[in-house]
Amino acid sequence: MTHTTAELTQWTVQQRRHFHKHPELSGQEHKTAAYVKERLEEFGIPLLDGFTAPNVVAFFKGTEGSRTVALRADMDALPVHEQVEKPFSSTVPGVMHACGHDAHTATLLGAAKWMSEHPELVKNNIVLIFQSSEEESPSGAQQLVKDGVLEGVNAIYGLHYMSNVALGKVGFAEGFSMASSDDFDIVIEGNGGHGGIPQDTVDPIYVATHVIQSFQSIISRNLNPFHPGVISFGRMEAGNSYNVIPDQVTLKGTIRALSFEGQELMYKRTVELTEKISDSFGAVGHYHYIEGTPPVYNHPEACNTARDIIQSTFGDDVFTEVEPTMGAEDFGYYLKEKTGAFINVGMEGEKSAYPHHHPKFDVDEDTIPTGLELMIQLALKG
């Protein structure tokens, strides 16, 4: 039995277009949050106090209430200037919803609207989480977990409209599905001097090349081959002359892992190699670790529930096993604490031809009924 009507779908699409037209960056979603609160108050769904703004948390009391399910949507946009002209294009220069969070927020609002109109059908208690700051640190999910948003929750679910998952498919990767994401800054201090007299210097550039290469040995020789990981350098700064060896080098990079153990191991080894290799050349290596997000672990029990919901609601052929990705999502903070799953709704095709974070990215609104029905079913059966 499906619950999504044409009228509810149209309403949800209108909400998505409102959010798309008025995007706000991470941590700045105050107008979005106010709009969400107004709609929830119209539905008669109580807002919960005690959660860091601009996050919005509401509680729908089920008819039985023996089980509590949390549903989450992220609200933040990206610092991207939209390059698509449409009636509801971003009105904020340099800011757009280039990752579908407008649709996520609208979908959860649509599910909340349905629940308020059919309260007798909702047995579970439902915690509605409209989250700030998925795209940037500090993470909104991490803060909400600290605030206690998962207290009393039995399971949590979220969805993401995906332009790289086949249109008409819904699915996920069971187990580790998305990578952790942490960054690092390294400063290697040497002793600069004349480029023609290197024996009188401690060349930090030369030291840096050894550090950079050594980090790849972590992947090939320290990390469990069954636990994928990536270490990439994105920036190197040193000197400004042809024949002057600089005093220091600055390196910036990212660490990705598809396991908690891998995330911890790569952090420890990058610190050790930076300091010890630098020391072996007479330089000093300073390492600054910037904690990002944990890997997203989809729990088998929740995956079984979600798979059953997808297949019974949309058909056996709609469910798809999605390959794990080294992309990151702060939904991992919730799943580190509670059973749950993060589900992909596919929209790859002509209407969503550009990748996420692209200035021409767009959500295929024809997929919103699927996402909306999925959210409702997760509320009922999650």
Side-chain angles (χ1 to χ4, degrees):
M1 177 184 177
T2 59
H3 303 87
T4 303
T5 63
E7 182 181 6
L8 181 60
T9 296
Q10 183 180 17
W11 184 90
T12 304
V13 168
Q14 289 173 347
Q15 305 312 303
R16 181 256 162 171
R17 293 181 178 184
H18 169 84
F19 294 129
H20 192 88
K21 194 173 183 178
H22 305 285
E24 295 176 292
L25 294 173
S26 302
Q28 302 174 29
E29 310 96 323
H30 298 288
K31 292 181 180 178
T32 302
Y35 185 90
V36 168
K37 287 180 180 179
E38 288 177 6
R39 301 291 80 75
L40 292 171
E41 288 171 350
E42 288 174 3
F43 304 155
I45 300 177
L47 301 173
L48 297 182
D49 297 326
F51 297 100
T52 305
N55 295 291
V56 178
V57 182
F59 183 81
F60 184 94
K61 186 172 179 56
T63 58
E64 294 183 0
S66 59
R67 182 172 174 81
T68 298
V69 175
L71 302 175
R72 173 269 209 171
D74 38 16
M75 301 188 294
D76 51 334
L78 286 158
V80 175
H81 188 77
E82 188 163 16
Q83 295 180 7
V84 178
E85 290 293 332
K86 47 183 178 273
F88 54 93
S89 293
S90 171
T91 57
V92 184
V95 181
M96 74 168 287
H97 275 289
C99 200
H101 297 189
D102 49 347
H104 302 164
T105 304
T107 299
L108 187 54
L109 264 186
K113 186 175 190 295
W114 182 88
M115 287 187 284
S116 71
E117 294 170 350
H118 304 278
E120 74 284 356
L121 298 180
V122 186
K123 296 180 180 180
N124 296 326
N125 294 329
I126 308 297
V127 177
L128 300 162
I129 301 172
F130 295 87
Q131 181 204 307
S132 165
S133 302
E134 187 278 325
E135 297 287 359
E136 297 287 343
S137 294
S139 157
Q142 183 181 31
Q143 183 59 56
L144 283 169
V145 170
K146 289 179 180 178
D147 290 343
V149 75
L150 296 180
E151 291 180 9
V153 168
N154 298 105
I156 181 167
Y157 296 92
L159 66 76
H160 204 304
Y161 293 98
M162 296 297 295
S163 66
N164 61 350
V165 174
L167 181 65
K169 297 293 185 179
V170 181
F172 46 80
E174 185 171 330
F176 288 104
S177 62
M178 300 183 75
S180 62
S181 177
D182 304 304
D183 297 328
F184 57 82
D185 290 312
I186 295 172
V187 176
I188 297 174
E189 294 183 353
N191 184 21
H194 198 291
I197 313 174
Q199 70 272 22
D200 291 340
T201 73
V202 175
D203 184 350
I205 294 178
Y206 183 69
V207 177
T209 63
H210 284 266
V211 171
I212 291 170
Q213 292 185 74
S214 74
F215 277 19
Q216 299 313 313
S217 72
I218 300 172
I219 304 300
S220 65
R221 290 297 176 268
N222 300 139
L223 194 63
N224 185 327
F226 294 100
H227 297 168
V230 171
I231 303 175
S232 294
F233 287 85
R235 188 167 186 174
M236 180 176 183
E237 299 176 10
N240 55 15
S241 177
Y242 291 105
N243 66 342
V244 177
I245 293 173
D247 284 322
Q248 71 176 33
V249 171
T250 299
L251 304 172
K252 295 178 182 290
T254 189
I255 298 174
R256 304 291 175 106
L258 269 178
S259 69
F260 299 118
E261 296 82 4
Q263 182 183 23
E264 181 65 19
L265 180 146
M266 287 195 282
Y267 160 61
K268 289 181 178 179
R269 288 295 289 147
T270 51
V271 174
E272 291 171 354
L273 289 172
T274 297
E275 294 177 349
K276 291 180 179 180
I277 289 174
S278 297
D279 182 66
S280 72
F281 285 101
V284 178
H286 303 280
Y287 184 102
H288 175 58
Y289 181 72
I290 305 167
E291 182 182 3
T293 58
V296 173
Y297 180 77
N298 285 329
H299 297 256
E301 178 186 349
C303 287
N304 289 337
T305 298
R307 188 183 296 106
D308 289 344
I309 288 173
I310 293 166
Q311 291 176 332
S312 63
T313 304
F314 307 112
D316 292 344
D317 59 337
V318 170
F319 177 78
T320 184
E321 293 283 353
V322 178
E323 289 190 359
T325 173
M326 301 311 284
E329 233 288 350
D330 73 350
F331 199 81
Y333 280 111
Y334 301 119
L335 296 179
K336 199 172 181 181
E337 303 295 327
K338 294 287 182 175
T339 293
F342 193 60
I343 305 166
N344 296 310
V345 177
M347 57 179 189
E348 184 179 34
E350 183 179 349
K351 293 182 180 180
S352 190
Y354 291 91
H356 296 263
H357 295 207
H358 191 281
K360 292 185 179 180
F361 171 84
D362 199 6
V363 167
D364 183 348
E365 292 179 340
D366 291 341
T367 64
I368 286 179
T370 299
L372 182 55
E373 185 63 35
L374 177 61
M375 272 292 189
I376 294 170
Q377 294 287 349
L378 288 168
L380 296 177
K381 304 174 184 177

